Amino acid sequence: MASKMNIVITQLALLVVSANLLEACFLTTEYRVLIDLDLSLGFVYPLTIHCWSGNEDLGTHMMYLSDGITKYDWRFCENFIGKSVYTCEFWWNGKDKTFQVFNSDTSDHDCAEESTCTWHVKKHGFYLNGNDRRSYKW
């Protein structure tokens, strides 16, 4: 009887440990991508975003400054082989732009501060991590 109880306790312990590992990044880095709208976009046109990776579609999101929605973000664990790529397509005021917002090959140094890549979306383009130099034009 004691042997069966030990087996049950061991199985429950393994289940709890496994559940905790699924919630956290195990042996990889957790990253955050943050899309931040600048007031220069104005209040008339929404910013529409569609983001995806090789195995995850984050869907399409519309952001309205007039509604006070100025940020969209997500977190993910870098995959085990260290090759995570997220791409987003942006639409605003008749313009559109598609580019990689995260790529394991380059984002380690671009997103070093707290493992966060912050993309500031402005009237004239996209700026990474508060850099004054524009990364992409519309």
Side-chain angles (χ1 to χ4, degrees), residues 31-34 101-102 107 110-111 115-119 128-129:
Y31 284 96
R32 176 181 181 220
V33 175
L34 170 66
V101 295
F102 181 89
S107 294
D110 290 339
C111 307
S115 299
T116 299
C117 297
T118 301
W119 286 97
L128 179 60
N129 294 331

Side-chain angles (χ1 to χ4, degrees), residues 69-120:
I69 301 170
T70 61
K71 297 182 187 322
Y72 169 65
D73 73 325
W74 69 94
R75 295 177 186 273
F76 61 94
C77 299
E78 185 175 34
N79 69 31
F80 284 109
I81 59 172
K83 188 66 176 166
S84 296
V85 176
Y86 278 87
T87 302
C88 291
E89 185 169 8
F90 300 84
W91 297 272
W92 174 75
N93 192 16
K95 303 173 185 177
D96 68 279
K97 184 70 175 176
T98 303
F99 61 90
Q100 292 178 351
V101 295
F102 181 89
N103 184 322
S104 296
D105 292 340
T106 58
S107 294
D108 279 343
H109 57 84
D110 290 339
C111 307
E113 187 174 325
E114 298 182 23
S115 299
T116 299
C117 297
T118 301
W119 286 97
H120 299 279

Side-chain angles (χ1 to χ4, degrees), residues 36-54:
D36 182 39
L37 273 67
D38 186 80
L39 292 177
S40 68
L41 292 178
F43 292 89
V44 177
Y45 302 103
L47 176 72
T48 304
I49 306 169
H50 177 224
C51 301
W52 65 91
S53 70

